[in-house]
Amino acid sequence: MSEEVKKNSYSADSIQALEGMEHVRMRPSMYIGDVGVRGLHHLVYEVVDNSIDEALAGHCDSIQVIINEDNSVSVQDNGRGIPVDMHKKEGVSALEVVMTKIGAGGKFDKDSYKVSGGLHGVGVSVVNALSDHLRAEVHRDGKVWEQEYEKGKAIYPARQIGDTDIKGTKVTFKPDGTIFTQTLEYSYDTLAARLRELSFLNKGITITLTDMREVDDKGEVRKETFHSEEGLKEYIKFLDGNRTPIISHVISMEHEKGEIPVEVALIYNDSYSENIYSYVNNINTHEGGTHLQGFRMGLTRTLKKYADASGLLEKLKFEISGDDFREGLTAIISVKVMEPQFEGQTKTKLGNREVVSPVSQAVAEMLENYLEENPADAKIIVQKVILAAQARHAAKKAREMVQRKTVMSGGGLPGKLSDCSEQNPEKCEIFFVEGDSAGGTAKQGRDRNFQAIMPLRGKILNVEKAMHHKVFESEEIRNIFTALGVTIGTEEDSKALNLSKLRYHKVVIMCDADVDGSHIATLILTFFFRYMRDLIEKGYVYIATPPLYLVKKGAKKQYAWNDEERIALIEEMGQGSAVQRYKGLGEMNAEQLWDTTMNPEHRTLRQITIDNMAEADRVFSMLMGDEVPPRREFIEKNAVYANIDA
Ligand code: 28G
C-alpha cells in the first residue's frame, strides 16, 4: 500500500471516529438510555466499569469515586493504567483512542476476557462525548501522563507531566449541561447503592465513595467504603437484614460450569415474598432470562426430589407448584457471559440458551450438599414449602377472582370508582385518594373526561407482612386490581402480571403531605412493588404533590410547596399577606385541588422509578417489616414531612 493511500485511510478512520462522537451527542439516549437522572448516573457506572474490568483481569483492587464540589466526578483505579504509547493504526496514543473512539477499549474485542459492562456497555468514550470537560491521568512505568477533552475532542495530545511511584488511571468528567438539561446534580445515595452492589458482585475489590459537596458539623465530608470478602453470601445477609431467617446458614456456591462462571447464594426467611435478583456481567437482569430459568429448575427439581424422598408430602392431596418452593426465598444469581444476548422490553432478559444447564446443575449440586449436611434445615424448608402449598390452595378462590374478574368478563367496576369517560387508556388517569372526604373533593375537582377517582379506605393492608391469600382476599386490594383492569398470572407464576387491559396509563397516588399521608402512600407503593412491579417498571405509577401552603393577600392567591417558596411568596406579596397551612387534601376545595395538584398544566407528578431493585427491596422490607429501630432511623434521615409537622 502506498504511503498516500495509508494516509487517506487514517483520515477516513478519524472522520469515522468523529462521526461516532457526533452521533453520541446527537442521539445520547441510544447510548445511555436517557438524558435524565438515570443517564447522568449511568456516566459514572460506565467509567467505573472500566476499572471493574481491570480488576476482573486481575490487575486492580481499589477504586475511588469522588463527587467533586462542582458536581464533576472523579474515578481512580490502581490498575495498569491505560497504555499511552502510539497506536500504530490511528497515529495517536492508545489513551486517545480509548477516550475518543466509539467502541474502542476492548468491549467489542472478542479475544479479550472482558465480561463486565454497563447496561449498554458502551465505553468511556461515550462519557467523554457527553462531557463538557474530561481529564484523563495515567500513572504508568513511573511516569504521569495527562490528556484533556472538551465535548469528546482532545484539546492537546497526551503529554507526560511528571514522575510517579503508583500505577493506575484517573478520569474526571463534568457532564454537559446542554445534554443533561434536567439535572446535573449527582445523588450520593444512588451512587452508593450501585457501588455497594458492585462490591458484593465482585468480591475483594475496595470501592470508596466521597462527596466533596457538603461538610458536616465536624467539618468532614461524606465518605463510605464498600468491600466484600464473601461476595454474594454477604449480599444476602445485607438484603435480608430486616427479615428473620428460618435456616442456620446462607447457602452459597461459586462454580465455573463449562466456561460460564456461576455464583449463587440463597436463604429462606419467615416472609411470604420471593426475592430473586439475577445478574449478568454485573447488570441486574430485571426481566430474568435463561439464568433465572436454570436457577428455578435446579431449585424445584432438587427440593422436590428431597421432599418426595422424605415422605413429608404423603399427606398432601394436591400438587406442589413452582411458586411454593420460592415463598420466603431470597436469592442472588450472578453469571458472567462472554457474549450476552439481551432481550425483552427493557433489554434486561438474558437469552443465551447455553446458560440454563450450567446454572441449574450448579444450584442442584449446591442444594443437594446443603440438604444432606443440614437435615434440620432441610426439614424446615420442606415444611415451609408445604405450608405455602396449603395456603395457595386455600387462597385458590380469592386468587381466581382476581385472575378472572376483568371488566370484559363482566365482573363490573368497583362501586367506589368514579370512572372517566375517555376509553383510550393512554389518555386516562386514575387517582387513588386516601379517604372518602378527599375522594369527594377530587371527584368534584377533576376533569371527568380523562380522570378517574378511586377513594381508598385509610390504611390498606400491609402486604409486606401478609400471606398471599390475605392479600387476594382483601376487598380493598381486589378493588385496585379491578379498577386498573389488571389480572395476575397463573398459579405456577403469580408474579406474571397481565397489563394488556390496563385501563389507565397514569396511576396517581394522591395523599396528604404529612406523616400519615406518606405512610399510606408507602403502603400503596409497597403493594405495587410486591404485586404489580411491572406497573412501576413500565413507568405508569406517579405520586401527586399537593401544596403545603396558601399565601393570600386580598384576592391574590399563590401556593407554596416548601418553606423556601412560602418565604419567597410572603416577601413578594409584602405587608398584609396571610399564610394558610394545608393539613390535608380535605382542607382544599375542589377548585384549589384541581389548580394545584390535578391540572396537568400546573401540577407536578413525581414518576416512581426503581433504579436499584435490591435497594428498593431492602427499603420496603425495612419500612414495612417487623423491626422498628431501622425504620425509625430511615424515617428520621429521610423525613421531609416530619419537620413540617414539628
Ligand atoms: C479510572 C477510570 C476508569 C483502565 C486499563 C488498563 C488497560 C487498558 C484500561 O487497555 C486498551 C486494548 C487492547 C491492550 C491493558 C493496560 C493492557 C495493558 C491495559 C479505567 C490495550 C485498553 N495495560 N485500565 N484499558 N487495550 N481503567 N478506569 O479506565 O490491547 S481502562
Side-chain angles (χ1 to χ4, degrees):
M1 212 190 284
S2 77
E3 203 52 39
E4 202 170 317
V5 174
K6 246 194 204 162
K7 249 192 206 140
N8 278 339
S9 67
Y10 286 159
S11 55
D13 272 356
S14 48
I15 287 167
Q16 239 179 10
L18 217 145
E19 279 177 346
M21 298 296 265
E22 278 305 310
H23 194 254
V24 175
R25 292 181 57 79
M26 255 157 48
R27 296 259 182 301
S29 25
M30 267 182 65
Y31 296 84
I32 56 162
D34 65 64
V35 288
V37 181
R38 260 189 215 195
L40 184 78
H41 289 76
H42 187 88
L43 299 182
V44 180
Y45 308 150
E46 203 61 62
V47 179
V48 169
D49 227 53
N50 265 15
S51 301
I52 298 272
D53 281 339
E54 186 65 359
L56 290 179
H59 300 283
C60 155
D61 65 2
S62 163
I63 305 170
Q64 277 169 280
V65 179
I66 301 167
I67 311 170
N68 299 303
E69 262 178 289
D70 63 350
N71 264 298
S72 68
V73 171
S74 302
V75 180
Q76 180 164 15
D77 68 41
N78 66 347
R80 289 166 294 182
I82 303 178
V84 284
D85 50 315
M86 270 301 165
H87 198 280
K88 283 181 224 92
K89 193 164 147 253
E90 308 285 337
V92 295
S93 66
L95 173 65
E96 186 166 333
V97 174
V98 168
M99 289 296 163
T100 61
K101 219 184 149 202
I102 302 300
K107 282 256 157 62
F108 303 97
D109 184 352
K110 283 181 197 167
D111 302 330
S112 62
Y113 188 76
K114 277 173 94 77
V115 286
S116 116
L119 178 55
H120 305 274
V122 286
V124 71
S125 53
V126 166
V127 177
N128 195 10
L130 300 177
S131 294
D132 234 14
H133 185 266
L134 185 145
R135 178 173 181 274
E137 184 176 301
V138 171
H139 293 244
R140 203 178 149 93
D141 300 328
K143 301 288 176 203
V144 187
W145 296 75
E146 69 165 356
Q147 188 169 33
E148 286 171 90
Y149 319 80
E150 274 166 9
K151 301 184 199 298
K153 289 196 181 90
I155 50 183
Y156 54 80
R159 64 190 181 202
Q160 223 188 84
I161 54 168
D163 299 324
T164 182
D165 48 18
I166 61 166
K167 59 187 184 58
T169 307
K170 180 177 180 181
V171 167
T172 300
F173 66 95
K174 176 124 180 59
D176 186 341
T178 66
I179 287 175
F180 299 93
T181 48
Q182 195 185 326
T183 178
L184 288 172
E185 184 106 6
Y186 275 106
S187 153
Y188 179 93
D189 291 325
T190 301
L191 292 179
R194 174 60 179 158
L195 297 176
R196 180 183 299 111
E197 184 179 42
L198 281 172
S199 76
F200 286 127
L201 291 168
N202 306 280
K203 62 183 173 197
I205 307 176
T206 301
I207 309 176
T208 63
L209 174 63
T210 311
D211 191 343
M212 305 298 287
R213 293 171 301 182
E214 259 178 78
V215 289
D216 65 13
D217 314 334
K218 292 177 202 137
E220 276 161 32
V221 295
R222 199 164 170 196
K223 185 171 180 174
E224 243 167 308
T225 299
F226 307 106
H227 175 92
S228 173
E229 271 305 310
E230 292 187 304
L232 297 194
K233 199 176 193 170
E234 270 177 278
Y235 196 8
I236 289 277
K237 289 180 193 163
F238 173 77
L239 282 176
D240 256 19
N242 301 305
R243 297 195 180 96
T244 311
I246 58 168
I247 57 174
S248 45
H249 305 94
V250 176
I251 308 175
S252 69
M253 66 99 226
E254 205 179 317
H255 202 69
E256 192 152 338
K257 288 261 176 198
E259 319 220 312
I260 300 177
V262 180
E263 276 182 85
V264 180
L266 64 87
I267 197 160
Y268 280 92
N269 58 57
D270 71 352
S271 83
Y272 308 105
S273 56
E274 165 190 333
N275 283 298
I276 307 180
Y277 299 98
S278 62
Y279 293 87
V280 175
N281 303 348
N282 294 328
I283 306 157
N284 187 195
T285 33
H286 294 208
E287 298 172 283
T290 49
H291 52 332
L292 183 63
Q293 197 186 329
F295 174 84
R296 287 178 164 191
M297 272 172 53
L299 182 91
T300 307
R301 201 175 352 111
T302 313
L303 286 181
K304 197 155 193 313
K305 199 167 92 190
Y306 188 90
D308 280 334
S310 73
L312 288 162
L313 298 186
E314 274 159 22
K315 280 168 280 164
L316 217 59
K317 298 265 183 324
F318 45 86
E319 276 290 293
I320 297 189
S321 98
D323 262 9
D324 301 333
F325 292 98
R326 301 190 295 267
E327 221 178 82
L329 172 72
T330 297
I332 306 161
I333 308 140
S334 172
V335 297
K336 302 262 161 60
V337 180
M338 286 288 225
E339 287 176 72
Q341 257 114 50
F342 290 113
E343 303 167 348
Q345 286 195 321
T346 55
K347 291 273 173 281
T348 57
K349 182 176 183 181
L350 185 66
N352 305 51
R353 303 299 317 169
E354 73 275 15
V355 176
V356 179
S357 129
V359 178
S360 92
Q361 273 178 43
V363 171
E365 207 171 290
M366 162 187 88
L367 265 178
E368 271 162 28
N369 287 338
Y370 188 86
L371 298 176
E372 189 136 321
E373 283 162 29
N374 302 271
D377 280 355
K379 200 169 166 193
I380 291 171
I381 295 172
V382 173
Q383 270 159 353
K384 169 109 182 159
V385 174
I386 293 173
L387 278 178
Q390 283 166 340
R392 176 177 50 82
H393 203 65
K396 215 172 154 104
K397 280 230 166 64
R399 181 191 291 269
E400 278 169 359
M401 292 276 278
V402 176
Q403 245 158 18
R404 294 211 190 106
K405 202 171 151 189
T406 62
V407 184
M408 302 307 284
S409 58
L413 291 167
K416 294 201 298 176
L417 173 73
S418 304
D419 206 6
C420 53
S421 42
E422 173 65 51
Q423 296 284 321
N424 178 1
E426 282 174 37
K427 294 182 186 159
C428 292
E429 306 179 346
I430 183 170
F431 286 77
F432 287 106
V433 190
E434 88 179 82
D436 291 332
S437 119
T441 315
K443 196 177 155 185
Q444 284 180 340
R446 69 174 172 155
D447 181 335
R448 62 183 314 135
N449 282 319
F450 67 99
Q451 293 179 320
I453 307 295
M454 173 85 176
L456 292 176
R457 208 183 305 133
K459 309 217 159 163
I460 70 161
L461 181 72
N462 179 358
V463 301
E464 195 68 34
K465 289 203 229 168
M467 289 181 82
H468 291 312
H469 72 278
K470 287 280 175 218
V471 174
F472 294 119
E473 276 163 17
S474 151
E475 195 187 339
E476 208 72 5
I477 281 174
R478 288 226 296 261
N479 281 342
I480 298 178
F481 273 105
T482 319
L484 292 175
V486 170
T487 48
I488 54 167
T490 58
E491 249 187 73
E492 184 63 23
D493 188 6
S494 65
K495 290 269 158 81
L497 210 58
N498 184 355
L499 293 183
S500 68
K501 296 205 173 71
L502 180 67
R503 305 177 62 246
Y504 315 90
H505 280 201
K506 284 207 170 73
V507 176
V508 187
I509 302 170
M510 187 159 72
C511 292
D512 290 344
D514 63 9
V515 175
D516 257 6
S518 73
H519 184 214
I520 291 163
T522 314
L523 282 169
I524 303 173
L525 268 183
T526 307
F527 164 70
F528 284 148
F529 184 69
R530 294 286 177 220
Y531 286 85
M532 293 193 185
R533 192 169 297 179
D534 229 20
L535 203 66
I536 302 181
E537 288 195 53
K538 298 230 160 71
Y540 295 136
V541 182
Y542 298 82
I543 294 205
T545 56
L548 293 176
Y549 305 102
L550 171 67
V551 187
K552 266 200 290 206
K553 188 179 173 184
K556 216 170 146 199
K557 287 181 185 173
Q558 292 209 13
Y559 303 95
W561 273 259
N562 54 47
D563 291 313
E564 247 169 57
E565 286 179 11
R566 172 183 54 102
I567 292 162
L569 278 180
I570 294 172
E571 199 142 294
E572 190 187 308
M573 290 196 188
Q575 283 266 307
S577 62
V579 180
Q580 182 192 338
R581 161 83 170 90
Y582 285 124
K583 286 251 169 56
L585 299 169
E587 283 189 4
M588 270 186 268
N589 63 36
E591 195 193 338
Q592 291 170 329
L593 188 59
W594 165 257
D595 283 343
T596 59
T597 315
M598 299 179 74
N599 179 358
E601 311 249 321
H602 301 299
R603 72 184 179 194
T604 309
L605 292 184
R606 283 161 52 201
Q607 189 175 40
I608 304 299
T609 58
I610 309 174
D611 48 42
N612 194 308
M613 207 48 81
E615 183 59 15
D617 169 65
R618 214 182 57 82
V619 169
F620 279 117
S621 73
M622 172 181 70
L623 289 176
M624 293 298 155
D626 289 322
E627 295 206 41
V628 176
R631 172 166 45 215
R632 177 165 310 141
E633 199 179 297
F634 180 86
I635 291 172
E636 273 164 17
K637 223 172 79 183
N638 294 279
V640 207
Y641 300 126
N643 0 356
I644 297 162
D645 279 346

